[in-house]
Amino acid sequence: MSGVPSQNAAVKLSDVASSLHMQMMSGGAGKLYTQQDLQTVTGLKSLAELMLIIQELVDKNLVKLVKQGGDLKFQAVDTSEAAKKSSMSAEEALVYSYIEASGREGIWSKTIKARTNLHQHVVSKCLKALESQRYVKSVKSVKFPTRKIYMLYSLQPSVEVTGGPWFTEGELDVEFINSLLTIVWRFVAEQTFPGGASAPASACATGADAAQYAPNVRNWSSTREILAFIASAQVANVELSPRDIRALCEVLVYDDKLERAGGAAGAAAGEDNYRVTLQSLLQLGAGGESAGSAAQGDAGADDSDAAGDSDAEGFSVYDYYNGLPPASGDREVVYFDEWTL
């Protein structure tokens, strides 16, 4: 018979087994079949005959057995994956099977040793061989930084392993978090008060309150709007989710920079809505010229220079509330470098 050879020709399957494998693959990757499903697919009524075909596919690594809820099910394996397993030694295939079963969570090398009951030297040799062929890879876990975690090469680690967007190479990226917090605060401020973050400097200098919108004006921002702004501004080199934005907003709520808003309308829409607190906006104004003048009057030229240096570095939502206010004549003030996560 001329034409394109069967995809299972290389593994020398019988026609019935090859047909069953192709039918199982056509159902979609990862689909599980029960014994009754396979009897329906093949049209076989004899269980013994069906099991012979299944065993042939299992021997060729084209079908694997999956236990689900106490039931034994069958899952087709792609021919390329089957060829990969066929090229492995028995020990490598055993180690690979446990790594494969761990999914995106990965598995600790010591756990592999315990479950396979292989000598540590054999496990290390298998892992090295699998890594060299790019079948598996080792990743760093945020929860267990000293452990060597292995997973399939083609998989992306789960958030539990990487720590999500707030971690870079297993380390908490405080600078990135603080930058995003400042961006979120400024964006919400533009929606909360006329003039946004630029409004309070002159208001505080004259002793007046910051201008506010009328009560009927929608002066809050939703997590969806904040996420859309950050995505359009391309200020983050990682993909953020609404859950990540909500976490940032909750940090600012905890620090009295934002407050929840939107009332019943926001709750009915299933959104989390926030607005900037007036206190944080006035703190921004108080940290400008008036703060510098007060520092000059109370502490002299040295202290005013320090205040000037702080202003020159640019605004950060954490430039204020960064220390305990001193009592009269108290020179021993405790300062904090940054907000502790």
Side-chain angles (χ1 to χ4, degrees):
M1 181 177 178
S2 61
V4 179
S6 167
Q7 62 174 339
N8 295 323
V11 290
K12 298 180 181 178
L13 287 175
S14 64
D15 291 341
V16 179
S18 179
S19 175
L20 176 57
H21 180 259
M22 285 190 288
Q23 286 178 292
M24 292 176 70
M25 288 297 297
S26 66
K31 183 176 180 179
L32 300 176
Y33 294 85
T34 63
Q35 172 191 311
Q36 291 76 13
D37 294 334
L38 294 181
Q39 285 183 299
T40 302
V41 169
T42 59
L44 295 173
K45 294 184 179 180
S46 171
L47 179 59
E49 190 175 349
L50 175 64
M51 287 299 103
L52 285 174
I53 300 172
I54 292 297
Q55 188 60 52
E56 182 181 355
L57 292 171
V58 170
D59 291 342
K60 300 295 185 181
N61 297 311
L62 290 168
V63 164
K64 63 181 178 181
L65 307 180
V66 179
K67 197 169 184 179
Q68 187 181 62
D71 297 327
L72 191 63
K73 297 187 178 182
F74 306 92
Q75 183 180 18
V77 178
D78 185 75
T79 50
S80 61
E81 184 72 14
K84 181 192 300 181
K85 291 183 179 179
S86 298
S87 66
M88 300 176 189
S89 66
E91 291 84 2
E92 289 172 357
L94 182 60
V95 170
Y96 183 87
S97 66
Y98 281 104
I99 296 175
E100 182 181 29
S102 69
R104 297 176 61 216
E105 301 300 320
I107 184 171
W108 187 21
S109 56
K110 285 192 176 181
T111 305
I112 297 174
K113 177 184 178 298
R115 292 184 180 177
T116 59
N117 203 27
L118 296 173
H119 191 275
Q120 181 61 50
H121 175 72
V122 177
V123 173
S124 299
K125 184 179 178 181
C126 292
L127 290 173
K128 187 176 181 180
L130 293 172
E131 276 192 286
S132 66
Q133 298 176 79
R134 294 191 174 184
Y135 292 163
V136 303
K137 62 183 175 182
S138 62
V139 295
K140 184 182 287 187
S141 172
V142 171
K143 288 184 178 179
F144 310 104
T146 59
R147 296 183 180 182
K148 207 162 188 181
I149 306 296
Y150 288 89
M151 65 176 55
L152 294 187
Y153 190 84
S154 59
L155 296 181
Q156 289 296 325
S158 67
V159 173
E160 284 72 20
V161 175
T162 63
W166 315 130
F167 287 79
T168 301
E169 296 181 356
E171 299 292 334
L172 185 65
D173 196 338
V174 178
E175 184 178 351
F176 174 63
I177 295 171
N178 286 348
S179 297
L180 281 180
L181 287 170
T182 301
I183 290 169
V184 169
W185 186 89
R186 279 185 169 276
F187 175 77
V188 178
E190 295 297 330
Q191 317 302 317
T192 306
F193 292 100
S198 61
S202 58
C204 289
T206 59
D209 289 337
Q212 300 187 47
Y213 286 117
N216 62 330
V217 175
R218 178 186 181 276
N219 67 335
W220 41 262
S221 302
S222 67
T223 50
R224 176 177 50 82
E225 293 169 339
I226 298 170
L227 177 60
F229 169 75
I230 290 177
S232 63
Q234 298 180 345
V235 294
N237 57 1
V238 293
E239 185 176 352
L240 300 175
S241 67
R243 180 180 177 183
D244 299 326
I245 299 300
R246 188 179 301 110
L248 290 172
C249 291
E250 288 303 312
V251 169
L252 291 168
V253 168
Y254 182 82
D255 206 34
D256 294 327
K257 306 292 185 183
L258 296 183
E259 61 185 4
R260 296 179 187 86
E271 290 186 347
D272 292 305
N273 306 309
Y274 301 90
R275 62 171 166 244
V276 162
T277 61
L278 178 59
Q279 183 181 12
S280 69
L281 199 69
L282 295 178
Q283 280 289 338
L284 171 60
E289 295 177 2
S290 57
S293 299
Q296 260 187 336
D298 294 341
D302 291 340
D303 290 343
S304 66
D305 289 343
D309 291 342
S310 174
D311 293 338
E313 292 174 3
F315 168 73
S316 169
V317 76
Y318 286 110
D319 283 346
Y320 315 101
Y321 297 141
N322 65 341
L324 301 176
S328 178
D330 186 4
R331 298 261 180 198
E332 296 182 359
V333 184
V334 179
Y335 289 94
F336 300 97
D337 291 335
E338 58 194 22
W339 193 86
T340 305
L341 294 176

